[in-house]
Amino acid sequence: MTKDLGTEQFPRARLLANRTPLERLDRLSEHFGLDLWIKRDDLTGLGGGGNKIRQLDYYMGAALAEGADTILITGAVQSNYVRSAAAAAARLGMQAILQLEDRVPGMDDTYRTSGNVLLSQILGAEHMFYPEGEDEAGADRALYARSEALRAEGRRPYVIPLGLDARPLGALGYVDAAREILNQGPEFDAIVVPSGSGVTHGGLLYGLRRLGAQVPVHGICVRRAAAAQSERLNIVTTKIAALLGQDNPVTPPDILTWDRALAPGYGRMGAQAREAMTLMARMEGLFLDPVYTAKTFAGVPGLLAEGRLRPGSRVLFVHTGGVPALFAYQNDIATA
């Protein structure tokens, strides 16, 4: 698989030392009547692992190229992204400023102090807060305002933006991951991946199509309904193409989204996610998180029941990590 993806033109921080394992889930394969595999992106290593390490590879590469000494980033209170950014900053000798949004109302003190929040504190990150959870443009403005104040103090800040207006540098990590998956083999009939910001889903889909692979990529919605998520994926893949100076290989029929496990909403664990989490743990000894991967894995039986996955087909579930968030939900899990 030697075709140029176009990502080589951008600097990287080399946060991911090795490719992550691809493993067959034997017991769950028998349970579902599938040939089910897992891509272990929970094992990217740095700071608790997860998919965000691939995304940060390019953002931190850009920050290093600019001589930055501080990075600023926005995420939810239990964001895996900001925890990973704090770890990357620590490794590279930078200060991390994490802006937390209150996206999940009604959560208890455990949610606000444990899990990713606790790990970020151990990593030495500074926290600031933004009061709205669905205002990407406003959150970015707050970060840029803080960035200007730091610059006036003689610091060299670098902002990792949240909104769709920005260059999707983070998506390049999953454009690259497409080649990694294809080189690991075997060939898959379908891939199931979380779809939140659209960066992981969009980058992987773009990379696969750029390399000529036509395998369906089912994005399981973890933040917004399927129709809105499909629109977002169209924007993300179009912006990836513009960033790389290429024609977009992704067509509207390529964008597949499923939202039947989204309820009761972002950051909330419904019955399907709980069942998926328990099933993975008790049949394969692997942990999923309530926000992303449990809902995504719930998509496997859901898509199978709807006929969107064929019995006996070879399916890849992309495990994007997020396990530290489990501890923030311990009261919900314990009382289930």
Side-chain angles (χ1 to χ4, degrees):
M1 199 62 64
T2 58
K3 186 172 184 179
D4 180 15
L5 286 169
T7 59
E8 300 83 1
Q9 62 189 291
F10 297 93
R12 293 174 56 190
R14 304 293 172 181
L15 300 174
L16 182 66
N18 300 297
R19 68 184 189 180
T20 60
L22 195 153
E23 303 168 351
R24 189 176 191 271
L25 298 172
D26 293 338
R27 294 192 67 209
L28 284 171
S29 291
E30 182 177 359
H31 178 79
F32 288 126
L34 294 168
D35 186 6
L36 185 61
W37 293 67
I38 185 169
K39 176 62 170 169
R40 296 293 306 277
D41 269 10
D42 57 318
L43 300 179
T44 51
L46 180 64
N51 63 324
K52 305 304 184 183
I53 301 302
R54 292 189 189 272
Q55 297 177 20
L56 287 163
D57 208 19
Y58 282 93
Y59 279 121
M60 300 306 284
L64 287 171
E66 294 184 13
D69 60 16
T70 305
I71 60 106
L72 300 94
I73 186 171
T74 297
V77 171
Q78 281 298 327
S79 168
N80 300 305
Y81 202 2
V82 300
R83 177 256 304 163
S84 299
R91 171 169 289 185
L92 298 172
M94 299 181 190
Q95 174 65 32
I97 298 177
L98 315 179
Q99 178 172 250
L100 303 183
E101 301 174 311
D102 198 0
R103 294 183 193 169
V104 188
M107 301 302 285
D108 60 19
D109 288 342
T110 301
Y111 175 83
R112 298 181 181 281
T113 58
S114 67
N116 286 314
V117 176
L118 177 61
L119 295 183
S120 297
Q121 290 172 343
I122 294 171
L123 288 162
E126 175 188 332
H127 289 100
M128 56 185 283
F129 297 91
Y130 190 75
E132 296 184 43
E134 295 296 336
D135 182 11
E136 292 181 343
D140 280 346
R141 284 194 298 271
L143 281 190
Y144 282 111
R146 180 67 186 277
S147 172
E148 288 306 308
L150 291 171
R151 202 175 298 279
E153 297 172 4
R155 302 271 288 277
R156 299 186 302 278
Y158 180 86
V159 172
I160 299 174
L162 184 64
L164 280 174
D165 292 340
R167 296 190 308 162
L169 273 178
L172 303 185
Y174 271 88
V175 175
D176 291 336
R179 188 195 303 276
E180 180 176 313
I181 289 170
L182 293 175
N183 285 342
Q184 284 178 286
E187 294 185 7
F188 292 100
D189 299 306
I191 296 175
V192 178
V193 64
S195 197
S197 69
V199 171
T200 296
H201 180 186
L204 180 58
L205 178 60
Y206 187 100
L208 290 167
R209 295 298 181 266
R210 173 74 179 168
L211 294 170
Q214 297 304 310
V215 54
V217 180
H218 296 275
I220 308 304
C221 300
V222 299
R223 187 166 179 188
R224 56 187 64 82
Q229 189 65 12
S230 293
E231 293 176 7
R232 189 177 182 94
L233 263 292
N234 183 59
I235 295 170
V236 169
T237 56
T238 299
K239 291 183 75 67
I240 294 171
L243 178 63
L244 294 173
Q246 301 169 355
D247 293 330
N248 189 357
V250 177
T251 64
D254 290 320
I255 298 174
L256 306 175
T257 55
W258 187 86
D259 62 5
R260 301 296 179 86
L262 176 59
Y266 175 82
R268 294 285 192 177
M269 185 169 55
Q272 289 168 286
R274 190 184 307 278
E275 182 178 350
M277 180 190 300
T278 303
L279 191 64
M280 179 66 81
R282 296 181 182 179
M283 297 198 75
E284 298 289 352
L286 299 176
F287 295 114
L288 305 176
D289 81 289
V291 184
Y292 293 94
T293 51
K295 290 183 177 183
T296 303
F297 189 61
V300 172
L303 292 168
L304 186 61
E306 293 179 11
R308 297 173 69 176
L309 297 178
R310 301 189 311 276
S313 60
R314 183 175 291 141
V315 177
L316 177 63
F317 163 64
V318 180
H319 187 343
T320 54
V323 172
L326 260 175
F327 299 99
Y329 288 82
Q330 60 184 314
N331 291 333
D332 288 346
I333 295 168
T335 57

